[in-house]
Amino acid sequence: MAFQRISCEQARALFDNPALKVADIRDFNSYSRSHITGAVLVDNSNVQAFMQSAPKDAPLLVCCYHGNSSQGAAGFFAEQGYQEVYSLDGGFELWKVAAPELCETS
């Protein structure tokens, strides 16, 4: 299993699928300030619970700050059996500029 790196434009198209899950792996404070609409904050303390609630056949978009750490996390999810895993190139920093209408605050 592998993951794909995708642009903000490609990721925006994923939002047409209601089954999409978004995993935000940034720190709590960054997530609290703003995050991708519908994103779940995922860290070591809740990754197992997230995996129990996120179907392995649903698309999964992984987001970090700049698109670097999300690649490792996307690889992890792919290894766990997720079939359609994406790492967001540019991370949330680019997303909030490219798709501000798909951002929310906690």
Side-chain angles (χ1 to χ4, degrees), residues 7-102:
S7 67
C8 289
E9 183 177 290
Q10 292 168 305
R12 186 190 300 247
L14 294 175
F15 280 80
D16 293 339
N17 185 336
L20 174 68
K21 301 294 181 195
V22 181
D24 188 324
I25 62 167
R26 298 175 303 145
D27 70 274
F28 175 79
N29 289 333
S30 297
Y31 175 87
S32 293
R33 282 192 293 277
S34 186
H35 53 267
I36 295 174
T37 301
V40 175
L41 179 64
V42 178
D43 60 21
N44 288 336
S45 71
N46 72 343
V47 68
Q48 293 300 325
F50 175 81
M51 289 192 303
Q52 289 173 357
S53 69
K56 290 191 162 106
D57 60 351
L60 174 61
L61 177 64
V62 183
C63 169
C64 64
Y65 297 97
H66 301 286
N68 298 316
S69 299
S70 60
Q71 293 178 53
F76 168 79
F77 285 115
E79 289 170 3
Q80 303 308 305
Y82 285 84
Q83 300 165 14
E84 192 179 338
V85 184
Y86 304 97
S87 173
L88 181 63
D89 277 353
F92 186 74
E93 291 303 306
L94 184 57
W95 180 265
K96 68 183 180 183
V97 174
E101 74 283 3
L102 289 171

